[in-house]
């Protein structure tokens, strides 16, 4: 398996983790009875952490389809190389670092880390064209 596909697999694992983080925070806040129930009415979260984890998850899910597509296009096109390897690494590690920064409510640095992950995504996207 290529380094790019390895990072893609790791990013998918990260996506699973990011599904469970806000779910766990909601369960902690609203209780097991709410979690096991039909959730017809979800109360508003009183804890900032729950909302931050939900927004971090949404943020990943906005760019994840693009990253999946970019890695697969580069792979099929045979465009794997230093640019795609570095780009995949920047995207993955940027996303990993982004989660705790967002959860802790750290501004600016979080945005810079997001830009690093975006730069990694762009590197993988452009690789087949150069």
């Amino acid at each position: 398996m290529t380094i790019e596909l390895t990072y893609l697999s790791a990013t998918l694992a990260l996506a699973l983790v990011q599904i469970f983080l806000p779910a766990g925070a909601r369960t902690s806040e609203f209780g097991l009875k709410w979690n096991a129930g039909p959730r017809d009415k979800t109360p508003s979260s009183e804890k900032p952490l729950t909302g931050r984890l939900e927004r971090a998850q949404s943020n990943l899910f906005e760019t994840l389809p693009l990253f999946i597509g970019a890695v697969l296009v580069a792979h099929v096109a045979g465009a794997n190389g230093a640019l795609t390897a570095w780009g995949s690494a920047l995207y993955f590690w940027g996303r990993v670092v982004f989660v705790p920064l967002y959860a802790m409510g750290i501004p600016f640095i979080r945005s810079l880390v997001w830009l690093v992950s975006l730069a990694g995504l762009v590197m993988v996207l452009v690789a087949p064209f150069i």
Side-chain angles (χ1 to χ4, degrees):
M1 185 158 58
T2 64
I3 189 75
E4 295 84 359
L5 291 176
T6 301
Y7 276 118
L8 175 54
S9 297
T11 304
L12 294 175
L14 175 64
L16 281 175
V17 169
Q18 284 197 249
I19 289 171
F20 287 106
L21 288 174
R26 283 189 302 273
T27 300
S28 173
E29 188 170 354
F30 305 137
L32 287 173
K33 184 177 179 184
W34 170 84
N35 189 4
R39 301 181 197 166
D40 292 332
K41 293 184 181 180
T42 299
S44 295
S45 176
E46 299 292 325
K47 297 181 179 179
L49 179 63
T50 303
R52 290 174 186 164
L53 291 172
E54 289 171 345
R55 290 187 299 276
Q57 176 194 32
S58 293
N59 189 280
L60 172 65
F61 289 177
E62 288 171 2
T63 60
L64 183 57
L66 298 173
F67 181 65
I68 293 168
V71 168
L72 294 178
V73 166
H75 183 74
V76 169
N80 294 350
L83 190 61
T84 56
W86 278 102
S88 297
L90 286 173
Y91 181 82
F92 172 74
W93 290 110
R95 298 310 313 190
V96 167
V97 172
F98 183 82
V99 176
L101 290 175
Y102 206 129
M104 292 184 286
I106 298 173
F108 304 114
I109 296 171
R110 180 195 81 217
S111 297
L112 289 173
V113 168
W114 181 84
L115 285 172
V116 167
S117 73
L118 184 64
L121 172 59
V122 170
M123 289 167 69
V124 178
L125 277 171
V126 302
F129 299 102
I130 56 173

